[in-house]
Amino acid sequence: MAKNLLIVESPAKAKTIEGYLGKDFLVKSSYGHIRDLVKTDEAIDTANNFAQKYEVPADKKAVVSELKKLAKASETVWLASDEDREGEAISWHLFETLGLDENKTKRIVFHEITKPAILKAIENPRKIDYNLVNAQQARRVLDRLVGFELSPVLWKKVKPSLSAGRVQSVAVRLLVDREREYNSFKPVASFKVVAIFYTDNKKELFKAELPKRFQKVKEAEDFLRDCIAAEFKIKSLETKPGKRTPSAPFTTSTLQQEASRKLGYSVGRTMSLAQRLYEAGYISYMRTDSVNLSQTALDAAEKEIRNAYGDKYHKPRQYKTKSSGAQEAHEAIRPTNFTNHSISGDSAERKLYELIWKRAIASQMSEAEFEKTTAKISISSRSEELTASGEVMKFDGFLKVYFESTDEEAEVQLDDSSDNALLPPLKTGQIVSLKEMNATERYSRPPSRYTEASLVKKMEELGIGRPSTYAPTISTIQNRGYVVKEDREGKARNYQVLSLAEGKITSLIKSENTGAERNKLFPTDIGIMVNDFLVEHFVDIVDFNFTATVEKEFDEIAHGLKDWTAMLKDFYGPFHTDVENTLETAERASHERELGTDEASGKKIIVRVGRFGPLVQIGSSEDEEKPRFASLRQGQMIETITLEEALELFRLPKTVGVFEDKDMTVAIGRFGPYIRHDGSFYSLPKDVDPHKVEETEAIEIIKIKRQKDIDKIIKTFEEDPDVRIENGRWGPFIRYGKLNIKIPKDKTPEDLSFEEIKKLADDQPVPKKSFKGAKATATTATKKKTAAKKKPAAKKAAPKAKK
């Protein structure tokens, strides 16, 4: 038996570290948290300094039993969970649950999983930091109290099976507020003037823009008319040197944003990949809000830059973290070995690693140097001046490695003109000739809806949440149906273009697609309904400043500047009173809206949230005839649907004809329009309007789908109809009941026998029962529970901060 037992959070990390330590060390994983608050009202005793009652979940009992046995047999137990507050709390839970001896227990932390870092940590052990533990306990308790006490209020006053959370509810409010800003925005049109000139050399074309915009088409037309016979002269030329400085190395937030923009990854996927890179020893710890780099990292980056690119590309730079809660002792996210420009691994891991490497190495490289020339062009017939700009790169510097993206890149309009790459040789007083001038009608844009990345950025700006909470918060609000991430089609909009060429002005009406969205976050009607109720009755919980203040208080607890139980008492008293008052006095929430009257029946038309989601209702339950209902389509919302759009929903389902002696019915379901025939469903192609489908077209759609299904099946077997060989997205495979089996490379799909397939199925590995290795989210919601009015009893109290 090894003298030393070292416990980390994940098996992957354990495997990596085990290779760095000698035979005297046994490295084991706790698979994340080994215990949590009980799921009942007894979890927190609010009358006894918020003492907590914990339990080891069933799927962790075997892990705890094994660790207890190993700990007893070891001379020293090393707790090596992550270096953040949650990692500190995990070490404390291990200490308490395993019944460890303080004299035989050592706590170590490291910022990267490399041999030097691990050995240095072993040489510098410490005790558990109870300030960090208490900060995490305060967060856990406060979030549990909010979730457990608010959820029953929502069940009674809004809708069953709902939940609320301190951070998640604020995130939903951000999305609801932005959606309402978007919907209330009224676009304003103006005309933007762009001209194309040439010099005596007619091949030397360059672009110039009028700095002002015209609000009316007549103003734009008058300007173009005045330019027909005008003389255009270079009034002034100005050349200025410019520099561009690299961005700081990644924090959790900036990594999530850039991975979304450059790689298209969700924040959850980014963090999962970063976790794997960290555990494999490729990058430093990925939950950080510091942009600081250690001297060791700075020296390594300098050496690599000088070797790979030359001395002139290196410029040492130390960034200062803006976040008040950040800890400078921590580092930004960086590679552990700067000589590794790339790594082995799957494609997604490689891409994320390379992004981290480029950002970190670029932060220590020279500025990019440019020369920008600006020409002012006078118009003999007008007082306005046109401006032409050109930019030339003199030295690429850090741009040799990395160019940062922006959220606005996807929003650029069709005619937004960038600078000329290079202006032709020009001199003051030179006459230039007009080739073409366009005045294009453009509309002001509404505030952009949030992507996952831009929501993280906003939360960070407001001080809501911390690096470890961004990804789980965004996952939670989507999983609970308060928010959806989806694409939405835009609408066609006409705009006018006035063109001056060869002395003539022409007008043309063009069309553009506006309002199209890709991977944006939209609040659902139920999300809006819950948000409005919370804003009305629990304004503090969804107040941005209040939520940020709570985060600062957690930071103060972590630094030993505030008592965690006193902080909770200040919060809980008023909050619990609000809960009780709301349960007694608040009206039931109604997200109902009256649209008008149905002309055919004279009955009232309303739109509301029903049991299965938002719907339109014609009539009421008090009428002799039952009300008629129709579900809203994807993209339609209670606040914005019109009477015409609501009535359109009742045109379906409709029978469009008969095929094989069975009716064909067109309807719209959760996943779009479809044809129902003889118990089967056939999706309509995107370009087919469900209201205009006729019998012939419906039959054709059914036949095409049937043929595709036939072509998909390569082989069936009489021995078992649930076994077949099919063509899949990535080639042929075997469908064996609920199993999908890969076909060996040396086998031809068509030649496989039933016996061979049965043997392949028997050889499939049995799925192992997995431990829940992920860190628990801040709030655990338990459904179908009565309001927490009684004072729970506690069995075990959290420690007071040790001095």
Side-chain angles (χ1 to χ4, degrees):
M1 176 62 69
K3 294 179 182 178
N4 299 277
L5 171 65
L6 189 142
I7 305 174
V8 294
E9 294 177 50
S10 75
K13 195 188 296 185
K15 188 177 180 182
T16 306
I17 293 173
E18 204 161 37
Y20 300 144
L21 300 173
K23 57 183 175 145
D24 286 342
F25 278 84
L26 176 64
V27 184
K28 285 291 181 179
S29 167
S30 70
Y31 295 87
H33 282 280
I34 59 162
R35 68 174 184 176
D36 198 4
L37 294 169
V38 296
K39 300 290 194 289
T40 66
D41 293 349
E42 297 179 344
I44 300 159
D45 188 350
T46 56
N48 184 24
N49 275 339
F50 302 96
Q52 301 112 57
K53 182 179 178 182
Y54 289 98
E55 66 179 353
V56 176
D59 63 345
K60 288 298 180 72
K61 286 184 178 176
V63 175
V64 170
S65 178
E66 182 191 17
L67 292 177
K68 273 185 179 179
K69 184 178 177 182
L70 293 171
K72 281 182 181 178
S74 302
E75 291 180 10
T76 306
V77 177
W78 303 76
L79 302 176
S81 51
D82 289 342
E83 62 174 334
D84 56 10
R85 293 174 201 167
E86 194 162 357
E88 204 70 25
I90 287 175
S91 281
W92 172 68
H93 284 302
L94 284 165
F95 182 84
E96 294 279 308
T97 309
L98 302 182
L100 301 180
D101 182 344
E102 191 168 358
N103 296 321
K104 291 175 56 180
T105 305
K106 296 180 179 181
R107 168 81 170 116
I108 60 169
V109 293
F110 36 82
H111 187 61
E112 59 187 54
I113 303 177
T114 59
K115 188 170 184 178
I118 301 301
L119 295 179
K120 185 178 178 182
I122 294 287
E123 291 169 8
N124 298 279
R126 61 170 172 81
K127 297 295 183 183
I128 292 172
D129 185 336
Y130 282 95
N131 288 331
L132 294 179
V133 173
N134 290 339
Q136 181 62 24
Q137 293 299 93
R139 177 189 292 278
R140 187 76 184 90
V141 169
L142 190 148
D143 287 342
R144 169 61 75 93
L145 290 171
V146 169
F148 262 46
E149 297 212 2
L150 272 189
S151 296
V153 179
L154 295 179
W155 304 340
K156 186 174 180 181
K157 300 295 184 179
V158 183
K159 195 172 181 281
S161 301
L162 296 177
S163 68
R166 182 181 58 85
V167 177
Q168 74 172 56
S169 297
V170 177
V172 173
R173 184 180 182 183
L174 282 169
L175 294 167
V176 172
D177 289 353
R178 178 56 57 88
E179 188 68 19
R180 284 174 170 156
E181 283 180 64
Y182 186 95
N183 291 332
S184 63
F185 181 82
K186 303 296 181 189
V188 177
S190 61
F191 285 82
K192 176 180 178 178
V193 177
V194 177
I196 298 175
F197 293 101
Y198 58 89
T199 62
D200 292 339
N201 180 351
K202 292 189 175 182
K203 291 183 179 179
E204 292 180 338
L205 299 175
F206 66 97
K207 186 166 45 179
E209 185 179 327
L210 188 69
K212 67 176 282 187
R213 293 199 179 194
F214 297 110
Q215 301 303 312
K216 296 179 180 178
V217 65
K218 187 178 185 308
E219 294 173 340
E221 193 172 354
D222 289 346
F223 180 83
L224 263 59
R225 186 169 287 109
D226 289 343
C227 289
I228 291 175
E231 180 182 74
F232 301 92
K233 186 186 291 186
I234 304 297
K235 182 179 180 181
S236 66
L237 277 170
E238 184 179 31
T239 301
K240 283 184 178 179
K243 289 185 177 181
R244 195 172 300 164
T245 306
S247 299
F250 283 129
T251 61
T252 303
S253 166
T254 54
L255 175 63
Q256 290 170 348
Q257 292 167 50
E258 194 74 340
S260 173
R261 292 187 289 244
K262 272 190 159 62
L263 305 177
Y265 295 167
S266 68
V267 294
R269 188 180 187 202
T270 296
M271 292 312 290
S272 175
L273 292 169
Q275 180 86 32
R276 289 183 350 222
L277 292 174
Y278 167 65
E279 290 175 351
Y282 290 129
I283 64 169
S284 58
Y285 192 54
M286 65 286 152
R287 291 189 185 91
T288 177
D289 48 13
S290 172
V291 291
N292 187 47
L293 289 178
S294 66
Q295 191 57 50
T296 304
L298 294 174
D299 293 343
E302 177 181 357
K303 185 178 179 182
E304 186 56 29
I305 291 166
R306 292 185 187 279
N307 288 341
Y309 307 110
D311 293 351
K312 66 179 181 178
Y313 278 94
H314 176 254
K315 180 172 181 178
R317 214 178 265 104
Q318 190 63 279
Y319 294 86
K320 190 73 178 171
T321 301
K322 294 177 183 178
S323 172
S324 60
Q327 299 176 51
E328 292 300 328
H330 293 179
E331 281 194 81
I333 304 170
R334 60 165 176 83
T336 55
N337 186 348
F338 280 94
T339 61
N340 291 334
H341 295 214
S342 187
I343 58 162
S344 58
D346 67 29
S347 173
E349 289 172 351
R350 286 200 309 272
K351 287 177 182 176
L352 190 66
Y353 175 83
E354 287 164 13
L355 189 66
I356 292 167
W357 183 89
K358 288 176 180 177
R359 177 80 165 226
I361 205 86
S363 75
Q364 301 305 307
M365 293 178 73
S366 306
E367 295 97 341
E369 297 175 9
F370 297 88
E371 185 177 84
K372 186 168 185 175
T373 301
T374 303
K376 298 286 186 181
I377 303 168
S378 64
I379 308 166
S380 61
S381 58
R382 301 279 300 202
S383 60
E384 296 95 340
E385 295 174 354
L386 295 157
T387 302
S389 298
E391 193 173 64
V392 181
M393 184 186 291
K394 294 296 186 182
F395 176 59
D396 55 359
F398 77 94
L399 292 178
K400 192 174 191 73
V401 171
Y402 181 78
F403 183 80
E404 185 179 11
S405 302
T406 63
D407 287 321
E408 286 70 36
E409 283 179 9
E411 311 289 343
V412 174
Q413 296 206 18
L414 297 175
D415 73 330
D416 277 0
S417 53
S418 57
D419 288 340
N420 300 278
L422 181 65
L423 287 175
L426 299 171
K427 58 185 179 181
T428 305
Q430 179 180 353
I431 304 296
V432 292
S433 303
L434 179 68
K435 181 178 186 294
E436 180 184 328
M437 183 180 286
N438 294 317
T440 305
E441 185 180 23
R442 281 300 172 211
Y443 290 86
S444 55
R445 288 179 292 166
S448 297
R449 289 183 171 101
Y450 287 107
T451 60
E452 286 191 358
S454 60
L455 181 59
V456 166
K457 184 179 181 181
K458 187 66 176 177
M459 289 171 68
E460 185 180 42
E461 286 173 3
L462 295 172
I464 298 166
R466 282 295 180 261
S468 60
T469 64
Y470 299 138
T473 296
I474 289 174
S475 296
T476 297
I477 61 178
Q478 292 180 67
N479 293 339
R480 291 181 177 164
Y482 295 158
V483 173
V484 292
K485 181 173 76 170
E486 61 189 20
D487 302 341
R488 289 191 183 173
E489 295 179 4
K491 294 179 181 178
R493 178 173 66 191
N494 292 335
Y495 66 97
Q496 188 173 3
V497 180
L498 300 174
S499 295
L500 166 59
E502 298 178 350
K504 293 181 180 179
I505 297 174
T506 57
S507 177
L508 187 65
I509 301 297
K510 292 186 176 182
S511 180
E512 64 182 349
N513 187 40
T514 181
E517 302 282 20
R518 180 168 173 76
N519 280 333
K520 292 291 180 71
L521 296 173
F522 300 85
T524 61
D525 282 303
I526 193 65
I528 293 172
M529 189 175 178
V530 170
N531 174 76
D532 290 351
F533 182 83
L534 293 176
V535 168
E536 182 180 355
H537 299 286
F538 298 94
V539 67
D540 278 353
I541 296 297
V542 288
D543 179 79
F544 306 134
N545 292 328
F546 170 79
T547 309
T549 300
V550 168
E551 294 292 349
K552 288 178 184 174
E553 290 183 299
F554 292 151
D555 292 337
E556 290 171 2
I557 294 167
H559 289 100
L561 302 174
K562 195 174 191 110
D563 180 72
W564 72 285
T565 56
M567 177 260 183
L568 288 174
K569 284 175 184 173
D570 291 343
F571 163 80
Y572 183 70
F575 169 69
H576 186 67
T577 300
D578 284 348
V579 168
E580 292 185 324
N581 289 341
T582 304
L583 280 168
E584 290 176 15
T585 63
E587 295 287 331
R588 186 169 179 81
S590 172
H591 194 46
E592 186 176 300
R593 178 169 159 246
E594 188 172 335
L595 297 180
T597 305
D598 176 29
E599 290 185 2
S601 64
K603 293 179 179 179
K604 184 169 69 174
I605 301 176
I606 62 169
V607 58
R608 63 179 179 86
V609 174
R611 185 179 175 188
F612 300 107
L615 55 84
V616 178
Q617 177 179 323
I618 299 179
S620 72
S621 55
E622 297 170 2
D623 297 338
E624 288 184 16
E625 295 180 7
K626 286 185 178 180
R628 295 164 61 204
F629 302 98
S631 296
L632 268 60
R633 297 178 193 166
Q634 181 186 5
Q636 291 182 328
M637 300 189 71
I638 288 175
E639 291 187 0
T640 55
I641 190 170
T642 64
L643 177 61
E644 292 73 23
E645 290 168 338
L647 289 170
E648 186 79 9
L649 298 173
F650 288 91
R651 290 177 56 194
L652 297 176
K654 68 173 183 177
T655 301
V656 294
V658 176
F659 177 51
E660 297 174 346
D661 297 326
K662 299 282 173 57
D663 287 342
M664 296 180 293
T665 303
V666 175
I668 295 179
R670 184 179 174 190
F671 303 105
Y674 63 89
I675 299 167
R676 185 174 70 246
H677 174 260
D678 194 17
S680 297
F681 300 87
Y682 304 86
S683 295
L684 264 61
K686 285 187 176 179
D687 58 345
V688 174
D689 185 342
H691 296 102
K692 297 179 180 178
V693 175
E694 295 182 354
E695 185 177 72
T696 306
E697 188 176 16
I699 292 171
E700 186 65 21
I701 289 169
I702 292 171
K703 285 182 176 179
I704 290 171
K705 175 64 168 62
R706 285 180 177 178
Q707 188 59 48
K708 281 183 179 178
D709 289 343
I710 292 168
D711 295 341
K712 183 173 144 183
I713 298 172
I714 297 173
K715 191 173 183 180
T716 57
F717 299 89
E718 290 181 4
E719 293 92 333
D720 189 339
D722 289 333
V723 178
R724 57 186 182 271
I725 302 173
E726 296 183 8
N727 262 317
R729 188 176 175 184
W730 291 283
F733 70 98
I734 300 163
R735 192 182 293 281
Y736 192 94
K738 292 183 179 180
L739 274 180
N740 290 341
I741 303 171
K742 190 176 179 181
I743 296 174
K745 289 182 180 179
D746 60 341
K747 299 288 185 183
T748 303
E750 292 84 356
D751 296 340
L752 282 169
S753 67
F754 182 77
E755 288 71 24
E756 288 176 303
I757 289 175
K758 194 171 184 305
K759 186 176 186 308
L760 286 171
D762 291 340
D763 292 341
Q764 292 297 299
V766 178
K768 293 181 181 178
K769 185 178 180 182
S770 62
F771 293 109
K772 293 180 181 177
K775 290 182 177 179
T777 52
T779 305
T780 303
T782 304
K783 296 180 180 180
K784 296 181 182 176
K785 167 182 138 358
T786 55
K789 288 187 178 180
K790 59 184 179 180
K791 302 293 183 186
K795 287 189 178 177
K796 194 160 195 176
K800 293 183 178 178
K802 294 191 177 180
K803 300 296 182 185

